[in-house]
Amino acid sequence: MAEQSSPEKIPVTVLTGYLGAGKTTLLNRILSEPHGKKYAVIVNEFGEIGIDNDLVVGADEEVFEMNNGCICCTVRGDLVRILDGLMRRKGKFDAIIVETTGLADPAPVAQTFFIDENIGRKTKLDAVVTVADAKWLNERLKDAPEAKNQIAFADVILINKTDLVSPDELSDVEARIRGINPYAKLHKTQRAEVPLDAVLGRNAFDLDRILDLEPDFLGGDDHDHHHDHDHDHGHNHEHDHAHAHVHGGLKHYHDEEMQSIALHTDKPLDPDKFFPWVQDLVQKEGPNILRCKGILAFKDDDQRFVFQGVHMILDGDHQRPWKADEKRDSRIVFIGRNLPGKMITEGFESCIAK
Amino acid sequence: MTAASGSDTVSVVERTRPIAAGGVIVGAHFLSRTAAFVLGEDAIVLAPPDGEPRRIAAHDGAILATAADGARIVSGGDDGKLVATDANCETRVVASDPKHRWIDHVALGPDGAVAWSAGKTAYVQAQESNSQSNKQSNREPRALEAPSSVGGLAFFPKGFRLAIAHYNGATLWFPNAAGAAPEKLEWKGSHLGATVSPDGRFLVTTMQEPMLHGWRLVDRQHMRMSGYAARVMSLSWSVGGHWLATAGASQLVLWPFQTKDGPMGKTARLLTPSGHRIDVVACHPRTDVVAAGYDNGLVLLVRIEDGAEILAKKPGEAPVTALAWSSDGRLLAWGTESGEAGIINLG
């Protein structure tokens, strides 16, 4: 609801990316642009960033499990402590940037904002921005699960160092990223040169802004195709390598491990079936579901319902009345590892109101 | 709506002396009859009973934690300093972290001992004394590395013993027992605050989850105290340690500690149900009354016996962030997140 997106909440941007991809370059760029804003920056290593006006805090990346028996329910304990402290200086900065180490999993950072109500009252997660190295990402996707997590989790991805690869290699790495996460906003950069509004002020976790459940194909600049067909990527492959097919000019990779599943129906859902189903799904598959988002149309309900989730944590609300000329259909996206696509699709279809 | 907004509620609001604190208030204490309002950054405002408030520059940056024993306030800051402030408006740097790490937990113990932490390191220092017999070595801080960042510190009421809350449990440390390994208390999860019962029999920690955890120290029995809406940020022992009053719910939650079993197998007493959440609690030092500060700015005085309420501050724009009683229980100081503050003289 409107009052929940309080303008006083301080936005927090999370910068991730594998070692050497260019996170610090991006951070320095953000801090040195003449934007007139002050940032509190939470970093793991001091010394590489040049800062005049901004507050810099060192973090320890302590990932703490919650005492609820769920191994994927984690928070960044150091972040809880640091944000509590920073909130005492509210007014001294406009936004917070959290730079994670190259090996970090973004999920505990994001979950901190959902799990800790005291932090959620005063700050809001703006977006997870992942910097990927155009030359080395493909290698890292093979040998570093962290790199794949960071791509899968991202709201915004910078394919950086594009000057070090050929157009073919660039198109290949882009297709690899799309095979894992078709929904993130993609930017191709050199030295992390990107307009600041592409990485800051994204409101990617704002329930009111869950608009874009359509895959992002670089603004549809070089081709134009629709994904109205069912997106069931959960089929079982007997071989364990990625495969590609050419589709509308852009190569498509289906990552064997990490996929997205898009569900769609134009028939109204039964809330008494849907909520138990989705709760049960995230209870069972939570460790494998990195993120999910949805816009839902329920039977006999004139309000649009929106939700999002990170692993087992779901957050949802009625958003606004459906507009008269708006198509009342429901869309859900899951991004995760080895998701049982057929089971999820069938489960979703069983939630359609009779 | 709370019962307090009814017109028949007794009120002491008119006995309030407003104080212009000039900043976000994060804590309150009394040094004798001088009220002290801790600001979110830089300063502590001291308001003597018959004089203008004075702003005391204590830190260069955020004030992250404070504790007081009636004679002095010790405060830890993001400037890496531990500072003592007394009622004469004098400040003194007790310790500086060599790496300028945040000092984000502090505690005061019996006989003037002080403890603080920066990251994973907890420090204690025995009383600084003018006595010649006091060995120099006793005044050097001793350090202990916790298994994770320190979540909270609490001295035992007697003896030179410190409880340190951290991830997956707590550590009990006798700093003077050279060579003795600190005692470990285990419980999964992140423990963020600690308090020891006035009789020294129980350690209670606040957790990342909206719950408390307790240990009966004699046999290490566990106590799980749950049912909160939010992380519990404020705890207070009633006079004699009979009750542990807690914030974090839309009711005043009081855990019974009158018997040697503490709250084991007992339910909490729940008072003043309302639609708003209690963020701060402070027990009266002489009688079984709790001051409760709400997230809508309301302050109520609640009698534990029957839940009778007295209105101490009407709801306002900002959450209550600080409550403190003078040691005689005649003065109550309150402060809010937007910097409003007051001292209520109950006579």
Side-chain angles (χ1 to χ4, degrees):
Chain A
M1 291 285 175
E3 66 266 22
Q4 287 184 333
S5 47
S6 154
E8 293 148 30
K9 286 189 185 182
I10 297 188
V12 181
T13 301
V14 180
L15 295 188
T16 75
Y18 207 71
L19 305 166
K23 280 193 306 287
T24 307
T25 310
L26 176 60
L27 180 58
N28 275 327
R29 182 167 294 281
I30 293 171
L31 297 179
S32 60
E33 291 268 325
H35 41 55
K37 293 206 164 152
K38 283 187 183 173
Y39 293 95
V41 186
I42 301 170
V43 296
N44 287 280
E45 282 136 26
F46 285 102
E48 293 173 61
I49 37 179
I51 294 150
D52 299 325
N53 283 324
D54 303 288
L55 272 163
V56 187
V57 190
D60 308 312
E61 296 218 337
E62 291 180 310
V63 175
F64 290 169
E65 283 177 24
M66 300 291 285
N67 187 4
N68 58 5
C70 164
I71 53 153
C72 60
C73 236
T74 51
V75 296
R76 277 274 303 273
D78 57 324
L79 205 54
V80 171
R81 193 168 61 84
I82 290 167
L83 292 173
D84 275 350
L86 283 177
M87 285 308 112
R88 292 169 181 250
R89 307 196 73 181
K90 220 163 72 174
K92 283 289 187 293
F93 48 86
D94 303 290
I96 298 171
I97 300 171
V98 182
E99 184 194 28
T100 67
T101 63
L103 299 175
D105 177 1
V109 181
Q111 290 178 161
T112 301
F113 295 86
F114 291 102
I115 289 173
D116 194 302
E117 202 265 346
N118 291 294
I119 285 173
R121 271 208 292 181
K122 293 181 176 167
T123 59
K124 60 168 189 178
L125 192 54
D126 186 67
V128 175
V129 177
T130 298
V131 187
D133 185 319
K135 191 166 176 63
W136 294 108
L137 181 72
N138 282 351
E139 294 302 310
R140 295 296 79 78
L141 290 177
K142 288 176 198 155
D143 63 16
E146 299 88 355
K148 200 177 273 186
N149 272 347
Q150 291 163 358
I151 296 295
F153 212 91
D155 300 293
V156 177
I157 298 171
L158 269 62
I159 307 180
N160 195 31
K161 306 190 183 180
T162 54
D163 48 330
L164 302 183
V165 294
S166 68
D168 274 358
E169 288 171 307
L170 183 58
S171 146
D172 193 64
V173 75
E174 184 189 338
R176 296 262 178 200
I177 289 172
R178 284 297 173 220
I180 296 168
N181 182 344
Y183 301 97
K185 298 282 176 214
L186 256 185
H187 302 275
K188 296 170 187 169
T189 61
Q190 298 174 18
R191 287 169 298 279
E193 268 184 72
V194 69
L196 285 192
D197 61 6
V199 289
L200 301 176
R202 303 299 308 168
N203 289 306
F205 286 84
D206 190 336
L207 279 176
D208 281 344
R209 295 283 295 268
I210 299 185
L211 306 170
D212 274 334
L213 289 180
E214 290 299 327
D216 176 67
F217 285 98
L218 290 178
D221 51 359
D222 46 7
H223 60 283
D224 173 21
H225 70 213
H226 288 279
H227 272 230
D228 279 341
H229 56 275
D230 267 338
H231 243 238
D232 180 0
H233 292 199
H235 38 238
N236 287 321
H237 294 276
E238 319 240 314
H239 46 272
D240 70 352
H241 56 85
H243 65 277
H245 57 270
V246 176
H247 188 61
L250 180 67
K251 252 196 284 188
H252 274 218
Y253 283 98
H254 288 226
D255 192 275
E256 282 303 307
E257 185 197 23
M258 193 83 80
Q259 315 90 11
S260 64
I261 294 178
L263 305 168
H264 171 238
T265 179
D266 53 8
K267 302 185 187 86
L269 298 173
D270 180 345
D272 295 333
K273 289 179 181 163
F274 177 78
F275 288 112
W277 169 73
V278 75
Q279 290 287 354
D280 183 64
L281 178 65
V282 298
Q283 285 297 315
K284 287 179 181 148
E285 294 291 331
N288 292 325
I289 298 171
L290 273 70
R291 290 187 64 175
C292 62
K293 288 181 185 186
I295 298 170
L296 305 172
F298 289 121
K299 187 171 182 269
D300 304 326
D301 188 343
D302 287 334
Q303 296 269 327
R304 209 164 104 126
F305 192 92
V306 292
F307 80 97
Q308 63 180 327
V310 174
H311 288 310
M312 288 175 79
I313 301 165
L314 291 176
D315 174 28
D317 207 346
H318 279 108
Q319 182 195 24
R320 59 164 173 80
W322 286 101
K323 291 172 191 156
D325 58 349
E326 198 170 24
K327 205 172 155 200
R328 292 196 188 190
D329 53 2
S330 298
R331 291 167 188 276
I332 304 180
V333 172
F334 292 96
I335 296 178
R337 191 174 275 117
N338 302 318
L339 296 179
K342 186 161 176 284
M343 190 194 92
I344 291 176
T345 308
E346 286 172 3
F348 176 70
E349 280 164 4
S350 74
C351 298
I352 291 169
K354 295 281 178 333
Chain B
M1 296 299 278
T2 70
S5 29
S7 54
D8 53 345
T9 305
V10 182
S11 167
V12 291
V13 173
E14 67 286 354
R15 294 166 177 247
T16 305
R17 172 189 167 200
I19 301 291
V24 173
I25 294 168
V26 296
H29 302 282
F30 271 93
L31 298 171
S32 184
R33 291 180 68 78
T34 294
F37 298 94
V38 182
L39 303 189
E41 49 187 346
D42 302 338
I44 296 171
V45 174
L46 295 182
D50 43 14
E52 287 302 303
R54 278 187 62 183
R55 183 186 164 95
I56 313 299
H59 289 273
D60 181 19
I63 302 180
L64 300 170
T66 56
D69 60 6
R72 59 179 173 157
I73 298 166
V74 292
S75 51
D78 73 359
D79 54 1
K81 291 196 169 81
L82 181 74
V83 175
T85 302
D86 65 24
N88 298 324
C89 303
E90 283 175 14
T91 63
R92 192 172 51 81
V93 176
V94 180
S96 292
D97 189 79
K99 289 183 242 167
H100 299 284
R101 290 178 301 174
W102 290 16
I103 294 179
D104 49 12
H105 298 286
V106 299
L108 282 169
D111 308 318
V114 59
W116 67 97
S117 68
K120 293 181 183 177
T121 318
Y123 299 89
V124 293
Q125 187 176 319
Q127 182 193 25
E128 293 164 283
S129 165
N130 296 324
S131 155
Q132 295 299 318
S133 64
N134 208 348
K135 278 183 274 179
Q136 182 68 30
S137 64
N138 218 22
R139 289 154 63 171
E140 288 298 312
R142 290 163 197 264
L144 183 73
E145 287 294 303
S148 71
S149 286
V150 173
L153 297 170
F155 277 100
F156 278 70
K158 287 186 186 134
F160 190 41
R161 193 184 195 194
L162 188 70
I164 303 162
H166 46 71
Y167 184 46
N168 286 342
T171 298
L172 306 181
W173 182 30
F174 279 111
N176 280 347
E183 199 180 328
K184 301 277 182 197
L185 297 173
E186 293 184 0
W187 187 257
K188 275 190 77 172
S190 177
H191 300 259
L192 294 172
T195 184
V196 178
S197 62
D199 62 6
R201 297 174 55 87
F202 298 94
L203 170 66
V204 177
T205 60
T206 65
M207 298 196 68
Q208 176 69 59
E209 297 80 10
M211 55 166 51
L212 307 178
H213 191 77
W215 287 270
R216 184 166 68 185
L217 297 172
V218 63
D219 56 3
R220 297 182 166 216
Q221 284 284 321
H222 293 283
M223 300 177 286
R224 270 169 284 184
M225 296 175 260
S226 58
Y228 294 93
R231 178 148 61 93
V232 180
M233 308 280 271
S234 176
L235 302 170
S236 177
W237 293 96
S238 74
V239 57
H242 291 159
W243 298 92
L244 179 62
T246 61
S250 58
Q251 302 178 79
L252 177 59
V253 180
L254 293 144
W255 295 97
F257 279 85
Q258 296 93 338
T259 69
K260 64 180 172 55
D261 291 335
M264 267 179 226
K266 302 191 180 89
T267 53
R269 182 170 290 186
L270 305 175
L271 300 176
T272 70
S274 80
H276 290 278
R277 195 178 74 198
I278 297 176
D279 278 351
V280 201
V281 289
C283 289
H284 191 281
R286 301 269 172 96
T287 63
D288 276 339
V289 166
V290 187
Y294 288 77
D295 66 356
N296 66 342
L298 174 73
V299 178
L300 292 180
L301 308 184
V302 184
R303 190 158 63 196
I304 296 175
E305 185 189 0
D306 58 2
E309 298 168 7
I310 295 174
L311 178 66
K313 180 189 169 296
K314 288 179 184 164
E317 282 175 22
V320 179
T321 48
L323 288 171
W325 292 98
S326 62
S327 59
D328 60 7
R330 288 166 187 265
L331 302 174
L332 174 69
W334 56 261
T336 73
E337 196 175 273
S338 63
E340 302 163 278
I343 304 168
I344 302 173
N345 190 333
L346 297 162

Coordinates of all heavy atoms in Angstrom, one line a residue, chain A residues 14-18 106 128-132 147 150-151 153-159:
Chain A
V14 N 22.9 -2.8 -3.5 CA 23.9 -3.8 -3.2 C 24.7 -4.1 -4.5 O 24.2 -4.3 -5.6 CB 23.2 -5.1 -2.8 CG1 24.3 -6.2 -2.6 CG2 22.4 -4.9 -1.6
L15 N 26.0 -3.9 -4.4 CA 26.9 -4.1 -5.6 C 27.6 -5.5 -5.4 O 28.3 -5.8 -4.4 CB 28.0 -3.1 -5.6 CG 27.7 -1.6 -5.9 CD1 29.0 -0.8 -6.1 CD2 26.8 -1.5 -7.1
T16 N 27.3 -6.4 -6.4 CA 28.0 -7.7 -6.4 C 28.8 -7.9 -7.7 O 28.6 -7.1 -8.6 CB 27.0 -8.8 -6.2 OG1 26.3 -9.0 -7.4 CG2 26.0 -8.6 -5.1
G17 N 29.5 -8.9 -7.7 CA 30.3 -9.2 -8.9 C 31.5 -10.1 -8.5 O 32.0 -9.9 -7.5
Y18 N 31.9 -11.0 -9.4 CA 33.0 -11.8 -9.1 C 34.3 -11.0 -9.1 O 34.3 -9.9 -9.6 CB 33.1 -13.0 -10.1 CG 33.7 -14.2 -9.5 CD1 33.0 -14.9 -8.6 CD2 35.0 -14.6 -9.9 CE1 33.6 -16.1 -8.0 CE2 35.6 -15.7 -9.3 CZ 34.9 -16.4 -8.4 OH 35.5 -17.5 -7.8
P106 N 24.4 -12.9 -2.7 CA 23.6 -11.7 -2.4 C 22.4 -12.0 -1.5 O 21.8 -11.1 -0.9 CB 23.1 -11.2 -3.8 CG 23.9 -12.1 -4.8 CD 24.4 -13.3 -4.1
V128 N 19.8 -5.1 -6.5 CA 21.1 -5.8 -6.5 C 21.7 -5.6 -7.9 O 21.1 -5.9 -8.9 CB 20.9 -7.3 -6.3 CG1 22.2 -8.0 -6.4 CG2 20.3 -7.5 -4.9
V129 N 22.9 -4.9 -7.9 CA 23.5 -4.6 -9.2 C 24.8 -5.5 -9.3 O 25.6 -5.5 -8.4 CB 24.0 -3.1 -9.2 CG1 24.8 -2.8 -10.5 CG2 22.8 -2.2 -9.0
T130 N 24.8 -6.3 -10.3 CA 26.0 -7.2 -10.5 C 26.8 -6.8 -11.7 O 26.3 -6.5 -12.8 CB 25.4 -8.7 -10.8 OG1 24.7 -9.1 -9.6 CG2 26.5 -9.7 -11.0
V131 N 28.1 -6.7 -11.4 CA 29.1 -6.4 -12.4 C 29.7 -7.7 -12.9 O 30.2 -8.5 -12.1 CB 30.2 -5.4 -11.9 CG1 31.1 -5.0 -13.1 CG2 29.6 -4.2 -11.2
A132 N 29.6 -8.0 -14.2 CA 30.2 -9.2 -14.8 C 31.3 -8.8 -15.8 O 31.3 -7.8 -16.5 CB 29.1 -10.0 -15.5
A147 N 29.4 -16.9 -8.8 CA 29.2 -16.0 -9.9 C 27.8 -16.2 -10.5 O 27.1 -15.3 -10.9 CB 30.3 -16.3 -11.0
Q150 N 25.2 -14.6 -8.4 CA 25.2 -13.2 -8.5 C 24.4 -12.7 -9.8 O 23.7 -11.7 -9.8 CB 26.6 -12.6 -8.5 CG 27.3 -12.8 -7.2 CD 28.8 -12.7 -7.2 OE1 29.4 -12.5 -8.3 NE2 29.5 -12.8 -6.1
I151 N 24.6 -13.5 -10.8 CA 23.8 -13.2 -12.1 C 22.3 -13.5 -11.9 O 21.5 -12.7 -12.2 CB 24.4 -14.1 -13.3 CG1 25.8 -13.7 -13.6 CG2 23.5 -13.9 -14.5 CD1 26.0 -12.3 -14.1
F153 N 20.6 -13.5 -9.2 CA 19.9 -12.7 -8.2 C 19.8 -11.2 -8.7 O 19.0 -10.5 -8.1 CB 20.8 -12.7 -7.0 CG 20.0 -12.6 -5.7 CD1 19.5 -13.7 -5.1 CD2 19.7 -11.3 -5.2 CE1 18.7 -13.6 -4.0 CE2 18.9 -11.2 -4.1 CZ 18.4 -12.4 -3.5
A154 N 20.5 -10.8 -9.7 CA 20.6 -9.4 -10.0 C 19.3 -8.8 -10.6 O 18.5 -9.4 -11.3 CB 21.7 -9.2 -11.1
D155 N 19.1 -7.5 -10.3 CA 18.1 -6.7 -10.9 C 18.7 -5.9 -12.1 O 18.0 -5.6 -13.0 CB 17.6 -5.6 -9.9 CG 16.9 -6.3 -8.7 OD1 15.9 -7.0 -8.9 OD2 17.5 -6.2 -7.6
V156 N 20.0 -5.6 -11.9 CA 20.7 -4.8 -13.0 C 22.1 -5.6 -13.2 O 22.7 -5.9 -12.2 CB 21.0 -3.4 -12.5 CG1 21.8 -2.6 -13.6 CG2 19.7 -2.6 -12.2
I157 N 22.4 -5.8 -14.4 CA 23.7 -6.4 -14.7 C 24.5 -5.6 -15.6 O 24.0 -5.1 -16.7 CB 23.5 -7.8 -15.3 CG1 22.8 -8.8 -14.3 CG2 24.9 -8.5 -15.7 CD1 22.4 -10.1 -14.9
L158 N 25.8 -5.3 -15.3 CA 26.7 -4.6 -16.2 C 27.6 -5.6 -16.8 O 28.3 -6.3 -16.0 CB 27.6 -3.6 -15.4 CG 27.1 -2.2 -15.2 CD1 25.7 -2.1 -14.5 CD2 28.1 -1.3 -14.5
I159 N 27.6 -5.8 -18.1 CA 28.6 -6.6 -18.7 C 29.8 -5.6 -19.0 O 29.7 -4.8 -19.9 CB 28.1 -7.2 -20.1 CG1 26.8 -8.0 -19.8 CG2 29.2 -8.1 -20.6 CD1 26.3 -8.6 -21.1

